[in-house]
Amino acid sequence: MTSTLSLRIAVAFAGLMGACGVALAAAATHQADATRLGIASSMLLFHACAVVGTVLLVHQGLARRQLGLTAAYGFILAAILFGGDLVLLHYTGHGLFRMAAPTGGTLFIASWLMLAVAALWPPRATNA
């Protein structure tokens, strides 16, 4: 059970990301000048799917576990930084902190690269 707990938590975050992404898409549709909300929605929805896919790759042994989990949680943290910054900027006029969205964007890129490495670097052999 504990070996899958980190996978389950990542999927729970993906579910929250997906729900927030849909809510932001609805808000962007009904509010004037809500470009930032639309962008945040897209990034949340897209990367929620990336988290689920990454977890499945790790679970199936197609991606090295530690690197794959780091990529999945990187997607989650990046979504919080990037999406949170854009949403706060839209509603309050200021972001999370200086460079939060670019930091999140850079973390998205790094997480995608880490996922690529996790898939190409063979998992450790287990003694069966």
Side-chain angles (χ1 to χ4, degrees):
M1 168 114 166
T2 56
S3 65
T4 63
L5 182 60
S6 56
L7 300 176
R8 290 169 175 260
I9 291 170
V11 172
F13 273 112
L16 292 172
M17 289 165 60
C20 289
V22 171
L24 287 171
T29 300
H30 297 290
Q31 292 181 16
D33 192 27
T35 304
R36 288 185 181 115
L37 297 183
I39 294 168
S41 168
S42 295
M43 295 303 273
L44 284 165
L45 289 168
F46 186 85
H47 287 92
C49 296
V51 170
V52 172
T54 301
V55 165
L56 288 172
L57 290 170
V58 167
H59 182 69
Q60 292 299 310
L62 297 173
R64 194 170 184 95
R65 183 178 180 83
Q66 196 58 44
L67 287 174
L69 279 174
T70 302
Y73 281 97
F75 290 139
I76 293 165
L77 179 58
I80 292 167
L81 291 173
F82 189 91
D85 194 58
L86 293 181
V87 169
L88 269 178
L89 201 54
H90 175 78
Y91 286 112
T92 67
H94 63 83
L96 286 172
F97 56 86
R98 188 173 177 270
M99 300 294 289
T103 301
T106 301
L107 186 53
F108 277 137
I109 294 166
S111 297
W112 280 110
L113 294 172
M114 188 170 297
L115 178 57
V117 170
L120 293 174
W121 191 354
R124 295 184 190 139
T126 57
N127 295 333

